[in-house]
Amino acid sequence: PVVARASDLCKRYGSGENEVVALDHIDVEFRRGQLTAIMGPSGSGKSTLMHCMAGLDTPTSGTVDVEGLEVSSMNQKQLTRLRRKEIGFIFQSFNLVPTLDAEENILLPLQIAKRPIDRDWFRKIVRVVGLENRLDHRPSQLSGGQQQRVACARAMMQRPSVIFADEPTGNLDSRSSREVLGFLKQSVREYGQSIVMVTHDPRAASFADRVLVLADGRITHDMEHPSYESIL
Ligand code: ADP
Ligand code: ADP
């Protein structure tokens, strides 16, 4: 089943001579149970695509829908509700609250949204990301890889339909990267999440079920289970 879809999506910045076409008639579907990597050179539109899909940016034309709801026509209130319920985010820089410990960081979005906390689900995720013995640690007491696993657990906690990850391993060494990617892949398998990650790293992309390559705002390649060599 399709979780998120962009149809004839265009995004232009500026006008006249200064116009930049960031997305040029993009059609793409993201399915449940799929880890998708988006690659492409800097400036090719990766961030813009992800931001439009997540309702963080408004397309110039075309539509985006998530779980059958048209994101591109929602007002701010509807967008906030959608992001709290259906969409999770993982950032390159972790974006944890430094004064809160790991457990508090993981639970924060649900508390802000005043949604109930499923303790069984919490314990399960914490076990999967291997943070059982780190829950009372603050971000400064955790390694980069552990911090990103806290951020993954936080994104998973709300059981979103789709998680958007912007360079999730951009600040991690290769061992921590493999751990985080292994976790993302496992959650896609076990919980049927759809995860879309932007990455510059072919090793990270080689974990994906599908690799999209963007150039000048268009999708130039859409590969299922590509070999490492074909990503390079
Ligand atoms: P993106 O390149 O996905 O848009 P950002 O918007 O966070 O990522 O990056 C801001 C700038 O940093 C970009 O213009 C890009 O040139 C540079 N940058 C980001 N990631 C990398 C990277 N892995 N290697 C080289 N440059 C990068
Ligand atoms: P990527 O993530 O692949 O590096 P982006 O989506 O960040 O690419 O950018 C795509 C194009 O849109 C680039 O040419 C970039 O300079 C332009 N762009 C992105 N954001 C803005 C903005 N806020 N204003 C003007 N141009 C922008």
Side-chain angles (χ1 to χ4, degrees):
V2 174
V3 175
R5 177 191 288 117
S7 309
D8 203 20
L9 190 65
C10 292
K11 178 70 182 181
R12 291 186 289 275
Y13 292 105
S15 60
E17 274 181 33
N18 299 322
E19 186 179 85
V20 172
V21 179
L23 297 178
D24 193 4
H25 301 280
I26 297 272
D27 286 295
V28 66
E29 292 180 344
F30 297 107
R31 288 180 287 279
R32 195 170 289 290
Q34 207 174 44
L35 174 60
T36 304
I38 302 183
M39 301 192 76
S42 197
S44 57
K46 305 182 296 296
S47 305
T48 305
L49 176 59
M50 203 158 68
H51 291 159
C52 286
M53 296 298 303
L56 297 168
D57 205 342
T58 315
T60 306
S61 63
T63 57
V64 168
D65 60 86
V66 172
E67 291 285 355
L69 302 170
E70 196 179 315
V71 176
S72 27
S73 63
M74 285 183 185
N75 62 34
Q76 282 306 323
K77 202 173 162 190
Q78 293 167 315
L79 282 173
T80 303
R81 200 161 57 205
L82 177 86
R83 281 198 293 266
R84 283 180 177 170
K85 196 154 171 284
E86 304 289 359
I87 300 177
F89 294 98
I90 299 170
F91 305 92
Q92 179 171 355
S93 50
F94 320 136
N95 287 17
L96 302 177
V97 179
T99 52
L100 300 181
D101 68 23
E103 174 165 344
E104 290 163 339
N105 267 287
I106 293 169
L107 300 179
L108 186 63
L110 288 177
Q111 283 170 341
I112 289 173
K114 297 195 172 69
R115 289 177 52 200
I117 289 159
D118 179 341
R119 278 277 150 188
D120 287 340
W121 180 240
F122 172 75
R123 276 190 291 271
K124 199 165 174 175
I125 291 171
V126 165
R127 197 165 56 237
V128 174
V129 292
L131 289 167
E132 297 102 316
N133 302 318
R134 296 284 184 278
L135 286 175
D136 58 353
H137 288 44
R138 292 196 189 162
S140 62
Q141 301 169 305
L142 298 170
S143 70
Q146 289 167 342
Q147 289 182 61
Q148 193 60 306
R149 285 185 277 136
V150 172
C152 290
R154 178 180 58 186
M156 290 288 295
M157 198 54 214
Q158 56 172 348
R159 298 178 190 258
S161 311
V162 55
I163 293 178
F164 292 106
D166 197 352
E167 294 275 1
T169 59
N171 282 326
L172 302 182
D173 60 37
S174 55
R175 183 163 161 267
S176 301
S177 294
R178 281 197 304 274
E179 284 172 9
V180 165
L181 291 161
F183 165 71
L184 294 179
K185 197 153 176 168
Q186 188 180 347
S187 43
V188 157
R189 293 279 172 285
E190 285 189 26
Y191 311 121
Q193 224 94 40
S194 175
I195 300 182
V196 180
M197 68 170 174
V198 166
T199 183
H200 283 92
D201 180 1
R203 283 169 304 176
S206 69
F207 274 76
D209 302 304
R210 179 185 182 198
V211 177
L212 295 176
V213 182
L214 289 188
D216 296 328
R218 294 172 189 226
I219 295 173
T220 56
H221 300 271
D222 185 349
M223 306 175 279
E224 304 248 345
H225 300 287
S227 66
Y228 181 64
E229 289 71 26
S230 65
I231 298 171
L232 289 174

